[in-house]
Amino acid sequence: MSKQILILPGDGIGPEIVTQAVAVLEAVDKQCGLGLQLDYGLLGGAAIDEHGEPCPQVTLDKARAAEAILLGAVGGPKWDTIERSIRPERGLLKIRSELQLFGNLRPAILYPQLAAASSLKPEIVAGLDILIVRELTGGIYFGEPRGIRTLENGEREGYNTYKYSESEIRRIGHLAFDAARKRNGRVCSVDKANVLEATMLWREVMEELSKDYPDVELSHMYVDNAAMQLVLRPKQFDVIVTGNMFGDILSDAAAMLTGSIGMLPSASLDKDGRGMYEPCHGSAPDIAGQDKANPLATILSVAMMLRYTLAAPEAADLVEAAVSKVLDAGLRTGDIHSEGMQLVGTREMGEAVVAAL
Ligand code: IPM
Ligand code: MG
């Protein structure tokens, strides 16, 4: 039976990087006989232009029918002034929530070839391999009530709600502990339990859960300290598990350790391992359409799709090896470029990965 893959190019640099990632996916499909069938849909600004909303029903229907989804990026200045309930980012949040993609895996791996591109000294980041497990469908991103209201004195007030139920904490915890078992057996749970009740419960539930995983070492860290430790001694971490907002922030910080956020893929999984795959970076409207964006985060997201949803680990290995080979050959987009390396555009980088396959 053929496997349906939904492609959502999105906005800004999205279409350019997705074109390259799709070429890689098609090449590896042919090589490994995966029987993939690609379909396309609209999300974000592109969907607003066509349907008047950032995540229309037709996209949701296609997403539900698909085995896996490949997403570029959403958003841009063109839609910055529209009403906030239909902004492009809301489309992304809606599809994550509707499909219950609660488990966001963001690996931060430093390719040895890119040690010079990191903002930190090579000895601090050499060999870096962290997995951030971010809760993606709860916390302050989705908590109700939320809004902007006018107080009795006429002043406006913005408010959001930070909450997590025990079952939400438990399911993301399981994902993190299971991942740690396949890695170096350590989970660091990041919270703000010295101030926020929601994360006091988070810490309690993680402690309870850890009893089921005697082979995994659990530690806790406050988020402010975690941000500091990530730039001070990043290699102390194996798996980091945290809530939606802290995970959003810490994964950007971790990305820069690896040289560029243009290198960071992600997987967003539901309870059955079906998922959406996207680069961690945004739509970069300032360089859109200029053949400058780094397609590697999206290409590496394809590798994650092959590994996590399509159960084709050998195909995932092939894609990752091809990326490594292209870096060995000295090809670099602007974001990871350093002296002596060959500066290439989005298309040339993608074509080199396909050729290396
Ligand atoms: C991310 C992005 C999104 C988020 C935005 C675009 C809504 O920053 O995937 O990290 O905050 O989750
Ligand atoms: Mg983010």
Side-chain angles (χ1 to χ4, degrees):
M1 216 185 73
S2 76
K3 292 176 179 145
Q4 196 79 23
I5 310 294
L6 177 63
I7 313 290
L8 302 172
D11 312 315
I13 58 170
E16 297 163 66
I17 54 178
V18 162
T19 299
Q20 299 312 317
V22 165
V24 171
L25 184 60
E26 284 175 332
V28 82
D29 177 24
K30 211 186 259 168
Q31 204 166 325
C32 302
L34 303 174
L36 305 182
Q37 203 163 4
L38 307 192
D39 189 13
Y40 284 79
L42 298 173
L43 188 78
I48 298 174
D49 289 349
E50 185 75 20
H51 299 280
E53 51 177 321
C55 180
Q57 191 58 43
V58 43
T59 297
L60 274 182
D61 291 343
K62 282 184 177 190
R64 287 209 173 89
E67 197 87 13
I69 303 165
L70 181 67
L71 169 66
V74 299
K78 180 176 175 194
W79 306 280
D80 271 354
T81 50
I82 62 175
E83 205 251 303
R84 66 173 190 274
S85 68
I86 57 158
R87 295 265 305 248
E89 292 77 8
R90 284 295 174 97
L92 181 57
L93 298 179
K94 181 167 167 191
I95 196 168
R96 286 173 177 170
S97 167
E98 289 280 332
L99 299 184
Q100 278 298 295
L101 305 173
F102 68 90
N104 188 209
L105 307 182
R106 299 189 160 188
I109 295 169
L110 180 77
Y111 279 79
Q113 302 93 323
L114 296 184
S118 174
S119 50
L120 297 191
K121 296 189 197 94
E123 63 269 27
I124 297 198
V125 289
L128 183 82
D129 181 355
I130 301 176
L131 178 66
I132 297 186
V133 178
R134 168 190 178 195
E135 200 291 327
L136 201 61
T137 53
I140 197 164
Y141 270 50
F142 292 94
E144 299 281 349
R146 64 189 294 163
I148 299 174
R149 61 191 164 204
T150 304
L151 302 174
E152 270 172 25
N153 67 4
E155 184 186 23
R156 286 185 308 156
E157 176 184 73
Y159 58 102
N160 289 88
T161 303
Y162 192 153
K163 59 180 163 192
Y164 270 118
S165 68
E166 288 183 276
S167 57
E168 282 176 306
I169 303 168
R170 223 173 271 125
R171 67 180 180 178
I172 194 70
H174 275 302
L175 198 64
F177 280 106
D178 286 337
R181 266 192 176 154
K182 296 186 198 131
R183 296 170 47 97
N184 294 317
R186 287 181 293 119
V187 170
C188 178
S189 171
V190 171
D191 61 40
K192 189 71 187 174
N194 50 345
V195 178
L196 304 174
E197 283 80 358
T199 71
M200 288 173 197
L201 182 67
W202 177 282
R203 189 176 279 223
E204 239 175 68
V205 173
M206 288 295 167
E207 274 298 326
E208 276 167 34
L209 257 188
S210 77
K211 298 197 182 96
D212 298 342
Y213 297 83
D215 49 329
V216 177
E217 180 195 312
L218 172 68
S219 60
H220 304 277
M221 202 178 272
Y222 297 140
V223 63
D224 48 352
N225 186 29
M228 184 171 76
Q229 294 298 330
L230 265 179
V231 290
L232 182 70
R233 223 161 49 79
K235 282 188 274 181
Q236 69 185 280
F237 296 108
D238 178 21
V239 174
I240 292 177
V241 64
T242 190
N244 207 341
M245 181 168 59
F246 297 161
D248 178 46
I249 299 166
L250 294 180
S251 60
D252 268 28
M256 272 333 278
L257 304 175
T258 71
S260 166
I261 196 166
M263 294 297 299
L264 219 71
S266 82
S268 307
L269 304 174
D270 74 4
K271 64 179 192 347
D272 304 315
R274 292 199 325 157
M276 183 159 79
Y277 296 82
E278 53 176 313
C280 288
H281 61 72
S283 60
D286 53 320
I287 57 164
Q290 298 173 32
D291 196 41
K292 282 185 180 164
N294 184 350
L296 293 180
T298 319
I299 290 170
L300 291 168
S301 300
V302 164
M304 289 189 87
M305 176 192 289
L306 293 163
R307 197 179 303 282
Y308 288 100
T309 298
L310 300 176
E314 54 309 312
D317 288 343
L318 282 177
V319 172
E320 284 164 0
V323 168
S324 199
K325 212 164 146 188
V326 166
L327 293 175
D328 278 337
L331 270 65
R332 301 284 188 273
T333 43
D335 57 313
I336 49 174
H337 187 252
S338 59
E339 182 121 355
M341 296 296 149
Q342 185 190 344
L343 183 65
V344 296
T346 311
R347 201 165 46 115
E348 206 179 330
M349 184 62 109
E351 286 170 358
V353 175
V354 171
L357 271 174

